Amino acid sequence: MVADVAFDAPIAHPFSYRVPDGLTVVRGQRVLAALRGASRIGVVVDVRSDAGEKLKPILRAVEPAPLLDASTLDLVGWIAADSATSFGSTCLTLMPPPTLAPIPRSGAVAGDRDVSPPELLIGAGREARLIERIAGAGTTTLVLSADVDGAARWAQRLGKLGHVVRLDSGVTDAERSQAWRALAAGEAALAVGTRSALLAPLPAGATVALIDEHEAAHKPPGAPRMHTRDIALERARREHLRALLSSATPSVEMWWHCDSGRVRLDGPPPAPWPAVSVADTRGIAKREALTPALARAIRETLTARRRVFLGVSRLASILGCDECGVILKCESCAIALAYSPAGRTLTCRLCGTAVPLMNVCPACRGRRLAPFGWGAERVEHAVRRRFVSARIARFDPEATRGAKAEAQRKAALSADVVIGTRGALRLFGPASLGLAGFVSPDQLLGLPDFRATERAFGLLWAAAERVGPDGQVIIQSQNPGHYALDAVTRQDLAAFYKPELKFRAELGYPPFRRLAIITVAARGGPESARLADAVTAALAGKPRLTVYPATPDRRNRARRIVVKGHADLPRVLAEALEGADTVGAARSRGIMDVEVDPVEWPS
Ligand SMILES: [Zn+2]
Ligand SMILES: [Zn+2]
């Protein structure tokens, strides 16, 4: 017998091995085999009757039985195809750590009964409602969290309903394998994990719950290169599972699913909301970090002995007008132009258009165009100068690691004023703040990414949820009439999604079109440029595809090509790229990378 084995490698085809006498392997089983001089774990994708005398033998089976059944392998095939990623990489990253103990094959068969459509829980108390649903369903439930900390928290919360097994890397490999085994044997009813648990065996009629659907952490770099939400929804559809999702500010894609009736929206009437106001900073933003309104609110909150959160963000490489608040944008893509002081140019990261730096604002003819915003350090300085006796801490968990991050976290927990980035908000529970102030969220609204507005909106909303109903949210902005700010002020999600979906439709962005970023990183800039030309040539003339000119990365080593297409984008890309020799070879050498439906735009 000969077995075809796929590996975690950027290679589309599997490798053939002889199955030695005395060993039986089947499709979906993990095996150990030699690949390029090393023994590696692969997954059997086919077994054929053939002597295979000249082939190398399989060394051994990793488990005595396959972990994935035929329908799960089909799902993996769909994920791989729709994300233009190899089957082996997709499959192996979705399997639990290898274990020597036997794992029974999942006895689950896809149920054929009607299941209610997926539901999205929003608004106050959404997590409590989710737990009620899980308790009320009485079926096996798998809860998927964006990260390991979240998984630990959910394991604890669900603990009051019964025994919870964990499938994430926050527990030992042995515990994870045991959890997978317990689910397969029908011995566990409550399981918690991250996206690595997406294929865990579940019986028919089970529930899959996805926490914080909008979190970018649901699509980290690497295989499986698809958003956890999309895999969970597809699995639920195929296996007739019940899907529950929760989010404070759903992704625009998800809201669109709700609009079109594919997902049911579960939102209670509005709960108490803090007073949200927008402070206009046009004309004063460059001189003073705090508007009089924000300074006054800080003083009042400190007097009342309540905590202040000041949201800051890293300085954006964009140019704005200090007089009228306009941010310089690409005319055809409507996203902010990236500013490069060295090159004295403004460049669109999507279509590659470059324009020379201008001296005069195109909107108001004012002469105060400048790099945008306030850094955390300058904000801290401004606050210290005005509030001498307050305990002030800065917390930037995205940029600090290890002991320093832990020290910052401790200081923040006992501070009166916390100056922090997005991740710092996680320190605070619902309604625990007296004031949340945003010094210059326009920096976020104007990032050179079509998702910038969605992100900024999510951050402002998350902050408002953490402020008590008797507290305040103050948003300083050069664009005080922006619909994202208006929606937060009015506690009205639809007031954000409606204009945002209109913008996406008009400009041809997701969910109405699909995007992919092809990155080629050869040994040097010239070689990358040559390869990028070959990719562009391979894609040229493909129907329903828009291919933008290749642009260099910051260090001028790699080249990026943005491609816009329709629902069939992954198939069109795969056909075009596999058909071209140089490109195919580059792909299998790992110097070419295709990211379909990117969530984070590379800087
Ligand atoms: Zn202007
Ligand atoms: Zn553009």
Side-chain angles (χ1 to χ4, degrees), residues 81 92 244:
L92 288 158
L244 299 172

Side-chain angles (χ1 to χ4, degrees), residues 330 332-333 348 350-353:
C330 172
S332 43
C333 309
C348 175
L350 183 63
C351 72
T353 299

Side-chain angles (χ1 to χ4, degrees), residues 1 96 126 155 188 198 340 410 498 596:
M1 299 293 272
R126 57 190 173 272
L198 270 164
S340 149
K410 277 216 178 101
K498 216 176 152 208
V596 181

Side-chain angles (χ1 to χ4, degrees), residues 116-127 129-130 133 208-215 218 227 229 233 242-259 261-268 493 497:
S116 48
E119 263 187 281
L120 173 65
L121 282 64
I122 58 168
R126 57 190 173 272
E127 299 198 334
R129 274 180 282 136
L130 182 64
R133 300 281 181 97
V208 179
L210 182 71
I211 311 299
D212 292 335
E213 172 276 328
H214 61 288
E215 282 284 343
H218 280 303
H227 200 288
R229 163 197 65 230
L233 288 175
R242 199 168 109 173
L244 299 172
L245 304 96
S246 77
S247 180
T249 47
S251 63
V252 172
E253 283 87 344
M254 202 64 208
W255 192 269
W256 181 63
H257 284 320
C258 293
D259 267 357
R262 271 165 294 189
V263 175
R264 205 157 66 201
L265 196 62
D266 176 273
L493 287 174
Y497 294 101

Side-chain angles (χ1 to χ4, degrees), residues 97-333:
T99 164
L100 292 171
I103 289 188
R105 189 174 185 167
S106 163
V109 279
D112 52 5
R113 55 200 179 123
D114 279 344
V115 180
S116 48
E119 263 187 281
L120 173 65
L121 282 64
I122 58 168
R126 57 190 173 272
E127 299 198 334
R129 274 180 282 136
L130 182 64
I131 293 173
E132 275 171 31
R133 300 281 181 97
I134 292 170
T139 58
T140 303
T141 299
L142 168 64
V143 174
L144 297 169
S145 168
D147 54 38
V148 173
D149 287 349
R153 215 164 36 241
W154 273 90
Q156 201 176 19
R157 293 184 78 171
L158 292 177
K160 62 181 180 191
L161 302 182
H163 180 62
V164 182
V165 297
R166 278 181 70 179
L167 295 151
D168 61 282
S169 60
V171 295
T172 63
D173 284 2
E175 280 176 79
R176 291 169 78 182
S177 297
Q178 175 56 34
W180 190 285
R181 191 157 43 234
L183 278 173
E187 288 159 6
L190 293 168
V192 170
T194 56
R195 64 197 250 112
S196 62
L198 270 164
L199 299 186
L202 293 172
T207 302
V208 179
L210 182 71
I211 311 299
D212 292 335
E213 172 276 328
H214 61 288
E215 282 284 343
H218 280 303
K219 194 188 182 192
R225 314 191 94 171
M226 186 183 282
H227 200 288
T228 307
R229 163 197 65 230
D230 298 333
I231 301 178
L233 288 175
E234 179 65 14
R235 181 174 178 191
R237 191 188 67 76
R238 286 165 177 250
E239 298 178 28
H240 305 279
L241 305 175
R242 199 168 109 173
L244 299 172
L245 304 96
S246 77
S247 180
T249 47
S251 63
V252 172
E253 283 87 344
M254 202 64 208
W255 192 269
W256 181 63
H257 284 320
C258 293
D259 267 357
S260 60
R262 271 165 294 189
V263 175
R264 205 157 66 201
L265 196 62
D266 176 273
W273 196 243
V276 182
S277 54
V278 180
D280 191 341
T281 57
R282 276 174 294 187
I284 63 165
K286 277 278 129 36
R287 295 188 299 276
E288 188 51 72
L290 307 176
T291 52
L294 182 53
R296 192 166 53 243
I298 295 174
R299 191 170 307 283
E300 286 166 11
T301 307
L302 292 176
T303 307
R305 301 194 170 279
R306 302 201 57 189
R307 178 174 277 160
V308 175
F309 172 77
L310 288 181
V312 292
S313 39
R314 233 148 294 142
L315 285 175
S317 54
I318 55 173
L319 221 55
C321 171
D322 222 19
E323 306 283 342
C324 74
V326 115
I327 287 168
L328 300 185
K329 292 182 177 174
C330 172
E331 277 179 23
S332 43
C333 309

Side-chain angles (χ1 to χ4, degrees), residues 333 350-351 507-508 513-516 518 536 539-549 561-566 569 572-573:
C333 309
L350 183 63
C351 72
L507 274 296
R513 293 280 189 284
R514 294 181 79 176
L515 290 176
I518 302 172
T536 307
L539 296 174
K542 292 286 161 203
R544 291 152 48 87
L545 211 59
T546 310
V547 183
Y548 294 105
I561 301 163
V562 178
V563 184
K564 198 190 261 188
H566 293 258
L569 175 65
V572 175
L573 279 182

